[in-house]
Amino acid sequence: MEALKDLWNFIQKRKAYWLAPIILILLLIGLLLVFGGSSAIAPFIYTLF
Amino acid sequence: MKKILGISAFYHDSAAALTIGDEIIAAAQEERFTREKHTPDFPTNAIKYCLEEAGLEIDELDAIVFYDKPLLKFERLLQTYYSFSPKGLLSFLKAIPVWVKEKMFLKKLIYDGLKEVGSYNKDNVNLLFPEHHLSHAASSFFPSPHEKSAILTIDGVGEWCTASIGIGDGNTIKILKELEFPHSIGLLYTSFTYYLGFTVNSGEYKLMGLAPYGNPKSEETSKFIELIKNNIVDIKDDGSIWLDQSYFKYATGLKMTNNKKWSKLFGFNRREPEAEIEQYHCNLALAIQMVTEEVVLKMAQEAKKITGSDNLCMAGGVALNCVANGKLIQKNIFKNVYIQPAAGDAGGALGAALAANHIYFGEKRKVNSTNDNMKGSYLGPDYSEKEINLMNKKVKAVFNKYDSYSELTNEIANHLDKGSIIGWFQGRMEFGPRALGNRSIIGDARNLEMQKKINLKIKYREGFRPFAPSVLAEDAHDFFEIDQPSPYMLNVSPIAAKRKKQLPDNYFDLSMWERLYTTRSDIQSITHLDFSARIQTVHKETNARYWELINTFKKKTDYGLVINTSFNVRGEPIVCTPYDAYRCFMSTEMDYLVIDNFVYAKTEQLDWENKEKWRVKFKMD
């Protein structure tokens, strides 16, 4: 919950309201992807994310 | 006085640093403890060490500071994917789970990581998040010897920012100008690192070392520079750059470059890792090095223009490009140039802690105008005689212990003079990527065979890579064209004219290996192909023992300098403990090992010919 609160504060501070629906959908899709996802992409790309 | 822990983690070069007031108590990279180079893991071991060194518990800290702002980074990611869509789906599918699973909940990750360090009350933790480039700026300006200074930070990317110009005054830092993602000189250099077959985010040094093999007089090099500047990067007068994204994949894909476009532009395909290096690879390396230098110089000129300062402080990964640093210093744009020794992301941990101390808590800054506050960058762990003896017992080491340090230096200087290679381990470990005489492998710079021998038989790395000298600070001008001290090995300067040997007329017609083995100076093993050297000036005030060793060598040979390379093999983090040092010593053809006052001769060790027994496989970098 703390993370979501921080996120909402961040959106308000940056006035980046366009992020809100995207993040919501991402959270939903993301939860699905988490189960099949892997983060092992080095070493071909700089650690951008 | 505020007690602050700085952390960098989850990307590369995780580290921790602990400050009490103005004083840097301890700082170390996590890789040294876990033995995984550039590890992104939460720096549990490094934090444990820092707290131990300070004698503190987590609950006693006034703040714990993470080196960047994760949500701002997330915003950059989403906006980038949105701007480039529908391109970037694959990268999106890789990145989002990482964020949804972990990085959006970074506070929790930090709290969980701290639990591994020790017990604490979460309500007592004051967790702060300065911006990435502010952490870099703080890491350089606050420990610097300047009350007021221009600040230039350049790296791959933080949140949005890829380079910044700021001004530091007392305990404040004001960022005046920023360059934003995807336009990044760091990512441009890394793209060439990738295209030339080296590993992203660790092979940049190899690219820099390869550049002097390029022919500066060849038409091909000039053509490459023209192609880069006319097609890939537009360099503005203020040093800002615009990168044509059609040549890159990093914003949307899982590799750095659009290889099809690059091979069409440069006329050759991406070099496969470990494949033979051809002259056109060297020429392209030289071309991008020269373009990078042009950008760095322009950024520095802009920093001078808008701040009017005589001083410049630098940090960020690109500030580790010591060839560009050398050119910047030689241009005399600023009277004084100070570069944070841990300029990469590891140093962000230190900068984050210092930023919190001075900016968040408003603590005044004590400036030491003669020396910086980095303590020579010897900020890592040291080991007691008892701990060394325990290691000796464990590995059944055969050693001589010296009660007299002058006897020890005499013996080691004799060995160096005879061509032996020494593993030199003493005192506190260095913070940052360079070994500065406490975790070093040293040799005689005059010896013609030394460069080849250390590369191939000690470090097991590419034969083309150059070596750097440690020179007595007071003798530096006798060997090099250098006006400023270079205690952190971050300045490449030409060797003195009197040291140079005449090159054959057909020098540039020779193969790169023939050129490498052509005698260029009387300090051949540290003279790179372009007559340059990456210099470490050794100062009695910051490392008396190392200074004494080199001075003893000078008394015997008239040469107050030695080769200094990091104490590790290819792919291995620099050694941390006496055991790491002994194991590395036994797995290579090093002749002697010195750990504080203990000296180990290779041929006296049990089973000394069985190198394989001691060898650990490290991931190639």
Side-chain angles (χ1 to χ4, degrees), chain A residues 2-4 6-7 10 14 16 18-19 22-23 26-27 30-31 33-34 37-41 43-49, chain B residues 11-12 71-72 75-79 92 94-95 98-99 101 103-105 107 156-157 187 199-201 250 253-256:
Chain A
E2 196 186 352
L4 292 178
D6 287 344
L7 203 56
F10 170 79
R14 298 272 298 172
W18 64 274
L19 279 173
I22 298 177
I23 289 172
L26 276 180
L27 276 170
L31 284 171
L33 291 172
V34 160
S38 114
S39 61
I41 53 156
F44 301 113
I45 190 163
Y46 188 87
T47 42
L48 294 163
F49 53 80
Chain B
Y11 292 89
H12 50 84
L71 294 182
L72 207 50
E75 181 196 73
R76 187 250 294 161
L77 276 179
L78 292 183
Q79 203 161 314
F92 178 84
K94 286 280 183 190
V98 176
W99 276 84
K101 203 168 157 185
K103 288 186 178 170
M104 262 173 75
F105 310 98
K107 277 187 179 174
V157 62
L187 292 176
T199 309
V200 167
N201 208 25
Y250 59 77
L254 296 176
K255 53 186 183 177
M256 292 304 293

Side-chain angles (χ1 to χ4, degrees), chain B residues 213-267:
Chain B
Y213 289 86
N215 182 352
K217 294 172 185 163
S218 83
E219 272 179 34
E220 187 175 53
T221 305
S222 307
K223 192 186 92 190
F224 284 155
I225 293 174
E226 210 180 293
L227 287 173
I228 293 168
K229 285 164 69 169
N230 290 344
N231 296 278
I232 297 181
V233 55
D234 182 13
I235 305 169
K236 312 284 185 194
D237 288 341
D238 65 354
S240 60
I241 58 168
W242 186 89
L243 298 179
D244 182 342
Q245 288 301 305
S246 68
Y247 282 91
F248 299 94
K249 291 274 189 186
Y250 59 77
T252 55
L254 296 176
K255 53 186 183 177
M256 292 304 293
T257 56
N258 181 340
N259 293 346
K260 265 189 193 167
K261 285 198 81 163
W262 281 53
S263 57
K264 198 173 166 199
L265 185 68
F266 296 118

Side-chain angles (χ1 to χ4, degrees), chain B residues 482-503:
Chain B
I482 184 172
D483 298 326
Q484 294 193 11
S486 175
Y488 303 124
M489 215 184 249
L490 287 168
N491 175 2
V492 168
S493 287
I495 66 160
K498 66 178 179 184
R499 302 277 163 197
K500 291 181 185 173
K501 306 266 188 222
Q502 184 69 39
L503 295 178

Side-chain angles (χ1 to χ4, degrees), chain B residues 458-479:
Chain B
I458 309 286
K459 307 271 283 189
Y460 303 116
R461 68 182 196 184
E462 303 91 334
F464 74 85
R465 295 183 63 187
F467 286 107
S470 289
V471 60
L472 297 177
E474 41 280 71
D475 289 359
H477 62 276
D478 191 33
F479 295 99

Side-chain angles (χ1 to χ4, degrees), chain B residues 91 153 243 478 556:
Chain B
S91 169
T153 65
L243 298 179
D478 191 33
K556 288 184 191 304

